[in-house]
Amino acid sequence: MAHAPMIAPSILSADFARLAEEAAAVPGADWLHVDVMDGHFVPNLTLGLPVVEALERATAIPLDCHLMINDPDRWAPGYAEAGSRNVTVHAEAARDPRGCARDIRAAGALAGLSIKPATPLEDWVEVLRDFDTLLVMSVEPGFGGQSFMPEVLDKVRTARRLVDTGHLHVLVEIDGGISRDTVEQAAEAGVDCFVAGSAVYGADDPEQALEALRAQAAAASAHLGTG
Ligand code: DX5
Ligand code: ZN
């Protein structure tokens, strides 16, 4: 891994009535992960574009919007136009993932593709050539605070190998159940960017919690890329 591990705290575990303050509580965050859920693609409902636009004005931390919604083809460009750094759509929801990526990029953001735990990576490798980010879900999307699914790490290892051999050019991101207990195995598998909700915002000191995760990930991945 060429760079220090990235940490993206998920505001799903923050206080939705105080989002600006919650963003300010993690100044060391590389990205702020925003879980957009529509009550259809996942059985939970969170927030949408107006909140993302307000959050964009309230923080300098780049926003990482994770769209767990149906018809992302229609809605994803708006999140990019709002100023998000990265906008991720689900492979299982997009009608035309390549078209999504093109529209997201045209609106000025990085384009991400997410796959649920049971979705094979192999089916999406060609499509991923048009994306900047691969978000590997390590829980079933929908809720924070679930247990990490280590079986998805095989997909992370495969993606890492494809990136390191120049076959893909994506940032490898993982989402779900990342904590002091699981961050090292994810780092060893080759993750670049770690989403963490409850492990950051459930801590007494969110900033200290995210820096602790980063230090653990850095130590665990120190051998990667050295052969
Ligand atoms: C789950 C969301 C995650 C969630 C992770 O569907 O995509 O981003 O916030 O929460 P933790 O880190 O608590 O598993
Ligand atoms: Zn997420």
Side-chain angles (χ1 to χ4, degrees):
M1 194 176 307
H3 304 283
M6 295 172 64
I7 308 291
S10 169
I11 59 160
L12 186 61
S13 294
D15 180 349
F16 275 17
R18 301 168 46 251
L19 286 180
E21 290 163 61
E22 295 284 64
V26 290
D30 296 279
W31 288 352
L32 199 60
H33 187 82
V34 181
D35 289 304
V36 176
M37 305 187 192
D38 67 352
H40 295 280
F41 180 69
V42 289
N44 194 9
L45 183 66
T46 54
L47 52 83
L49 189 54
V51 175
V52 169
E53 289 171 340
L55 191 56
E56 179 66 40
R57 289 190 294 271
T59 181
I61 303 171
L63 301 187
D64 175 30
C65 290
H66 176 194
L67 305 186
M68 286 162 277
I69 62 174
N70 286 340
D71 202 6
D73 307 68
R74 175 175 176 188
W75 302 109
Y79 290 85
E81 286 159 16
S84 305
R85 175 67 55 86
N86 183 74
V87 178
T88 290
V89 300
H90 264 270
E92 305 86 359
R95 276 179 287 117
D96 174 14
R98 287 196 159 102
C100 282
R102 186 185 57 237
D103 293 347
I104 291 167
R105 284 172 164 177
L110 299 173
L113 187 74
S114 183
I115 51 175
K116 298 205 284 185
T119 301
L121 175 64
E122 290 70 31
D123 295 356
W124 298 98
V125 170
E126 280 307 306
V127 165
L128 277 165
R129 292 178 185 279
D130 290 347
F131 282 84
D132 305 293
T133 307
L134 165 65
L135 179 61
V136 177
M137 290 305 301
S138 39
V139 297
E140 286 300 331
F143 300 92
Q146 302 183 77
S147 297
F148 183 72
M149 298 170 68
E151 57 268 34
V152 307
L153 292 178
D154 281 340
K155 291 192 279 189
V156 170
R157 290 185 197 98
T158 300
R160 178 85 264 142
R161 205 163 44 238
L162 290 168
V163 171
D164 288 347
T165 54
H167 292 89
L168 275 183
H169 301 278
V170 291
L171 187 100
V172 181
E173 186 176 15
I174 197 162
D175 184 7
I178 291 296
S179 70
R180 301 292 308 249
D181 295 333
T182 58
V183 69
E184 288 170 353
Q185 49 183 303
E188 285 168 3
V191 168
D192 298 303
C193 180
F194 301 81
V195 176
S198 47
V200 169
Y201 281 111
D204 291 337
D205 184 338
E207 176 67 9
Q208 189 184 61
L210 97 78
E211 292 303 346
L213 287 174
R214 197 201 311 279
Q216 267 187 293
S221 64
H223 69 285
L224 293 179
T226 60

